[in-house]
Amino acid sequence: MNKIQFNINQLVRKNVVKLQPYSSARDEFVDINQDMIFLDANENPYENGVNRYPDPQQRNLKEVLANQKKISDKNILLGNGSDEVLDLIYRAFCEPRVDNIITLPPTYGMYTVLANINDIEERKVLLDSNFQPDIAAIFDRVDTNSKLLFICSPNNPSGNLITQDRVKQILNRFEGVVIIDEAYIDFADQKSWVDTLNVYPNLIVTQTLSKAYGLAGVRLGICYASEEIIAILNKIKPPYNVNELTQKRALDRIANQSQIQTEITAIIENRIQLENTLSTVHFVEKIYTSEANFILAKVDDANKRYDQLIKEGIVIRNRSKQPLCDNTLRFTVGTTEENKKLITALNRL
Ligand SMILES: *Cc1c(COP(=O)(O)O)cnc(C)c1O
């Protein structure tokens, strides 16, 4: 059970509570499928497939996602990538130069960038040596202005899941909003936290079509939360933030679940193969357990090995500048063919 007193309206910025959202033509007359002459949005009337504004509420797409997750479409907000969704969350809850957010490095770099853009203080509480949250250290840094806390699970760049027990301890105690970033959840051996939205009113779960769903280029981020939180984010989102081409491509792709599952299975198999190979490479000192589509490995000299792989025509990510990540490289799992080439290159070094 949730032990905290949670009143969402006390967390929202005053200007957001008061503001009147923009009302678009498509908000005022919603049903574009009716046989009407539409002269309300100053569009060019000559049809070319995209001459009309897109549905600002993306109803078709939300319906499919709501069925998939067994929740209401009122629990969903869509954005131009999760990056937009995350930015909306900062702008809804954090008063610049007054409020603060809690992040748990090493983790996804956008939380810091968005804090800086929005002029919000970031309080960094390092993960422990197993890349799990240090609960005592977190609550030492939390105060009444701590509005958001970001948990990335599976975590980027370490690849591990945050244990359910630690997540629950945070959800039960943090009086702001907890955001669980599940960009890699489709590769993981654990259920999504979306199933617990009814239990935790202070929970936001973000997902994306950029990773397992293979649509990084169309930019579609998904936010799952209580109806109250979604209503607040809806007030401040740009009216037409998800374009028509994205909505169409996303619907087509989501309908093709068997293809997506085939690709996920192949990626996980290739990940396991790459883990096995990496563990035999002489300069690899440690491989971190991954529940994602990438592997973090500690090596003897990350800069040297990075440069050597570039010369072999392979680009990976050097994560050594992140805390707890000295001399680490992050390998995204590619196709079977790419995996082979990477393995051959590694064995040659
Ligand atoms: C890749 C990634 C995202 C994806 O962001 P989009 O804007 O949806 O492409 C989000 N969170 C994490 C942790 C990621 O690694």
Side-chain angles (χ1 to χ4, degrees):
M1 263 312 288
N2 197 307
K3 296 181 197 76
I4 54 164
Q5 288 291 327
F6 187 75
N7 183 344
I8 189 71
N9 292 315
Q10 280 172 4
L11 286 177
V12 181
R13 285 169 71 195
K14 301 276 175 296
N15 65 312
V16 173
V17 174
K18 274 190 297 198
L19 76 79
Q20 204 48 44
Y22 179 75
S23 183
S24 72
R26 281 291 74 73
D27 288 315
E28 289 178 14
F29 193 95
V30 172
D31 193 356
I32 38 169
N33 298 321
Q34 273 192 54
D35 186 20
M36 297 289 216
I37 297 172
F38 286 99
L39 304 176
D40 58 348
N42 299 347
E43 296 150 335
N44 179 325
Y46 299 103
E47 291 295 336
N48 63 21
V50 285
N51 58 313
R52 300 291 177 184
Y53 278 103
D55 176 3
Q57 280 303 323
Q58 309 99 18
R59 286 165 302 161
N60 295 338
L61 195 44
K62 280 186 191 166
E63 193 187 317
V64 172
L65 292 167
N67 285 334
Q68 194 185 43
K69 305 288 177 196
K70 302 187 176 60
I71 54 174
S72 158
D73 58 357
K74 293 195 175 66
N75 296 115
I76 305 176
L77 177 120
L78 302 178
N80 182 22
S82 1
D83 292 343
E84 183 187 40
V85 168
L86 296 171
D87 186 51
L88 290 172
I89 297 168
Y90 279 81
R91 289 197 278 149
F93 294 105
C94 297
E95 199 60 48
R97 272 161 273 150
V98 175
D99 291 331
N100 65 75
I101 60 149
I102 309 287
T103 62
L104 312 176
T107 193
Y108 187 44
M110 268 316 274
Y111 313 143
T112 300
V113 174
L114 289 168
N116 290 337
I117 290 171
N118 289 293
D119 207 358
I120 313 296
E121 181 196 350
E122 178 188 14
R123 298 190 177 176
K124 298 183 181 186
V125 184
L126 289 193
L127 294 171
D128 67 19
S129 54
N130 296 316
F131 293 122
Q132 293 296 328
D134 180 339
I135 302 294
I138 289 172
F139 286 97
D140 269 354
R141 301 297 309 280
V142 167
D143 64 20
T144 52
N145 289 319
S146 302
K147 295 294 183 71
L148 309 176
L149 187 155
F150 290 88
I151 298 173
C152 186
S153 182
N155 187 41
N156 180 3
S158 54
N160 61 296
L161 282 161
I162 305 302
T163 66
Q164 290 180 327
D165 175 62
R166 299 277 171 112
V167 173
K168 280 184 192 163
Q169 288 186 55
I170 293 170
L171 281 166
N172 283 329
R173 214 170 134 189
F174 186 66
E175 299 192 19
V177 177
V178 177
I179 297 99
I180 306 184
D181 183 338
E182 292 188 335
Y184 301 98
I185 192 67
D186 297 293
F187 301 107
D189 199 12
Q190 184 182 293
K191 279 182 25 183
S192 165
W193 285 91
V194 168
D195 298 338
T196 66
L197 285 178
N198 291 331
V199 185
Y200 301 108
N202 56 337
L203 171 62
I204 293 179
V205 177
T206 61
Q207 294 183 359
T208 175
L209 298 195
S210 297
K211 307 286 158 62
Y213 276 69
L215 294 186
V218 310
R219 314 301 303 128
L220 191 86
I222 310 166
C223 173
Y224 299 101
S226 69
E227 277 187 38
E228 290 73 20
I229 292 177
I230 296 297
I232 290 157
L233 298 176
N234 254 322
K235 276 179 83 168
I236 63 169
K237 86 170 183 66
Y240 301 111
N241 62 329
V242 180
N243 72 68
E244 183 70 20
L245 300 173
T246 294
Q247 293 187 42
K248 286 214 173 87
R249 256 328 257 281
L251 276 168
D252 288 349
R253 179 69 173 168
I254 294 171
N256 200 350
Q257 280 299 319
S258 68
Q259 179 63 27
I260 295 166
Q261 287 312 320
T262 305
E263 292 175 12
I264 291 173
T265 306
I267 290 167
I268 292 174
E269 277 170 12
N270 288 342
R271 181 187 77 208
I272 294 167
Q273 200 198 7
L274 186 56
E275 281 165 346
N276 292 337
T277 310
L278 279 171
S279 64
T280 66
V281 173
H282 69 94
F283 60 81
V284 172
E285 292 171 5
K286 180 167 181 169
I287 303 156
Y288 296 92
T289 314
S290 173
E291 300 264 358
N293 65 334
F294 56 82
I295 300 167
L296 189 73
K298 195 181 270 302
V299 298
D300 56 348
D301 182 343
N303 290 333
K304 173 174 151 190
R305 302 305 176 185
Y306 178 87
D307 290 341
Q308 286 178 327
L309 280 174
I310 292 281
K311 291 201 184 84
E312 296 280 338
I314 297 170
V315 189
I316 56 166
R317 202 86 195 266
N318 189 345
R319 298 281 71 187
S320 303
K321 292 212 176 77
Q322 292 240 5
L324 311 176
C325 293
D326 269 1
N327 277 318
T328 57
L329 300 172
R330 194 190 67 191
F331 299 83
T332 305
V333 179
T335 63
T336 307
E337 196 56 33
E338 291 170 332
N339 219 20
K340 269 194 202 129
K341 287 186 178 153
L342 171 61
I343 290 167
T344 310
L346 286 169
N347 285 328
R348 220 176 5 231
L349 299 192

